Amino acid sequence: MSIRILGTGSYLPPKVVTNDDVGRRLDTTDEWIYSHTGIHSRHVAGENESTSTMAAEAGRAAMAAAGVSPEEIGLIVLATSTPDYNPFPSTACVVQGMLGCTNAGAFDLQAACAGFVYALEQARGFVNFYPDKKALVIGAETLTRVLDWNDRSSCILFGDGAGAVVLGCDDPAGQASAKTTAHTILGADGKGSHFISRSGGCREPLKFDPETGIPLPNDNPEPPMMTLMGHDVFAFAVRTLSKVARDLCEKLGTSPEELDRVFAHQANGRIIEAVARRMKLPIEKFWLNLETTANTSAASIPISLDQAVKAGELKDGMKIVMVGFGAGLTYAGTYCTWPEL
Ligand code: UT7
């Protein structure tokens, strides 16, 4: 039996904000942003959109591509750092309701921009255990709602969107033992947890009424806002992405030159170029879409996969690596022979 990606889908909101648009409010230019990041524009969620609505669109498209009905889905894993609610109910549950996946368990997974690969691995374990069930794995983000739009060094980097895949097994009766061409690395470095963070959590202590000893109402909730140590993140990303991709190849007794495509998290074009140089691979092997999507965090890899499938550039039998990094710090990579996991 083998576990496969049966279908892909993605959604990008119609509203587009260009660098020139940002330059009309902040002291920045398209020339600076493009030369430092490879980004020209980003999609921004509109009035009636949120992480759940975009995730549902991507999930619906992935189920249609897979030829799988909502009732066949046994699990929804939704990777996001920008849930509709913070943190409950999970956005995965909201999406489960929207899609009518009445037989599915559902949970959110938070591993920032490495979240999709983490989620894929959880779903792979689920399908391996329950070969008659399908899993829907989604990466979806509305990062533009947690940015400091006065900070020109961070607000220019991110965009909104969602991508999804459906996982299933080619031997639902589970007669044969699982065979896999895939290998996955999941990792973290918590010492860098301050490199990228978002305010608004439960770490601040309560104030207590001295008379009664009971908590006073919390009248100062922090607005959700991202802070980013760009240089440190850049160095970590280049070092980690190339190491994970190389380690995956080594584990499987192959070399990076054998790879047909690399789907790296779309954080910054200069990061991807540096990774390509370190891996001694031509940049053409790396899927690049951040010129028009910017960094969509957990959605970036599944959006890339869907675009590559639709463009006919991701074909059965291709050897690929998906590799991401993000806040936490987290990192994760999967080597597989598409569409087997
Ligand atoms: O998913 C993970 C998310 N995070 C990332 O991927 C971030 C990774 N890091 C990066 O992409 C880069 O570090 C940035 C794009 C954020 C910054 O690029 P940089 O080449 O490292 O620029 P810098 O921070 O060294 O800034 C150089 C100068 C500064 O001016 P001064 O102090 O030298 O006068 C900045 O104020 O560029 C200035 N600057 C800008 N100027 C025009 C920073 N942002 C802008 C801007 N427009 N948007």
Side-chain angles (χ1 to χ4, degrees):
M1 114 181 156
S2 77
I3 296 164
R4 321 178 128 244
I5 291 179
L6 304 173
T8 63
S10 63
Y11 178 82
L12 291 166
K15 182 173 173 57
V16 169
V17 171
T18 66
N19 293 344
D20 286 333
D21 296 335
V22 181
R24 278 193 272 279
R25 247 208 84 234
L26 299 181
D27 181 16
T28 189
T29 58
D30 179 50
E31 196 279 323
W32 193 97
I33 300 172
Y34 187 70
S35 61
H36 285 73
T37 67
I39 297 165
H40 267 315
S41 61
R42 71 283 297 139
H43 294 261
V44 177
E47 225 172 274
N48 298 316
E49 291 172 318
S50 68
T51 296
S52 66
T53 67
M54 296 188 295
E57 291 288 348
R60 209 173 276 121
M63 288 192 292
V68 163
S69 70
E71 294 79 16
E72 287 176 81
I73 301 291
L75 181 71
I76 298 174
V77 190
L78 194 153
T80 188
S81 301
T82 46
D84 279 15
Y85 302 91
N86 196 11
F88 54 82
S90 74
T91 306
C93 280
V94 177
V95 170
Q96 189 254 23
M98 285 173 163
L99 293 178
C101 296
T102 46
N103 299 311
F107 68 94
D108 286 358
L109 184 150
Q110 206 288 92
C113 308
F116 178 75
V117 178
Y118 267 74
L120 199 61
E121 193 62 3
Q122 308 313 305
R124 186 159 76 102
F126 172 81
V127 174
N128 197 22
F129 223 77
Y130 303 103
D132 57 326
K133 295 184 197 287
K134 311 277 186 275
L136 178 59
V137 185
I138 308 174
E141 304 280 9
T142 34
L143 284 152
T144 59
R145 292 185 185 166
V146 298
L147 298 175
D148 179 351
W149 281 100
N150 286 319
D151 176 12
R152 65 178 182 175
S153 64
S154 62
C155 74
I156 49 141
L157 296 172
F158 298 93
D160 301 333
V165 302
V166 173
L167 287 196
C169 189
D170 64 356
D171 176 25
Q175 299 299 321
S177 61
K179 107 177 144 56
T180 178
T181 58
H183 189 79
T184 294
I185 293 173
L186 303 180
D189 178 4
K191 291 212 167 63
S193 58
H194 56 293
F195 284 8
I196 319 172
S197 61
R198 184 193 148 176
S199 55
C202 298
R203 68 193 184 288
E204 293 301 330
L206 289 169
K207 293 190 180 73
F208 291 90
D209 179 357
E211 298 283 304
T212 61
I214 66 167
L216 290 165
N218 185 355
D219 55 4
N220 188 24
E222 291 176 280
M225 200 83 92
M226 185 194 296
T227 52
L228 174 71
M229 293 165 63
H231 276 280
D232 299 292
V233 175
F234 196 104
F236 171 80
V238 173
R239 202 172 56 241
T240 309
L241 292 180
S242 47
K243 179 167 169 26
V244 169
R246 275 203 307 255
D247 286 355
L248 286 167
C249 293
E250 204 178 299
K251 276 264 182 232
L252 289 163
T254 180
S255 63
E257 300 87 73
E258 303 290 317
L259 289 171
D260 295 303
R261 276 276 182 193
V262 181
F263 291 89
H265 168 48
Q266 308 284 307
N268 180 322
R270 281 164 56 219
I271 292 176
I272 296 178
E273 280 163 17
V275 171
R277 278 197 301 277
R278 281 196 176 205
M279 291 179 71
K280 300 190 173 57
L281 289 180
I283 191 72
E284 290 71 30
K285 287 210 173 181
F286 287 72
W287 188 261
L288 283 172
N289 63 10
L290 83 177
E291 186 170 339
T292 54
T293 62
N295 178 348
T296 57
S297 191
S300 95
I301 292 176
I303 290 172
S304 298
L305 293 176
D306 187 47
Q307 290 178 342
V309 166
K310 299 230 160 77
E313 294 200 34
L314 179 50
K315 299 195 184 86
D316 288 8
M318 279 187 164
K319 293 182 171 46
I320 68 160
V321 158
M322 308 171 216
V323 63
F325 72 96
L329 300 163
T330 54
Y331 55 90
T334 288
Y335 180 114
C336 70
T337 305
W338 184 264
E340 281 186 19
L341 277 180

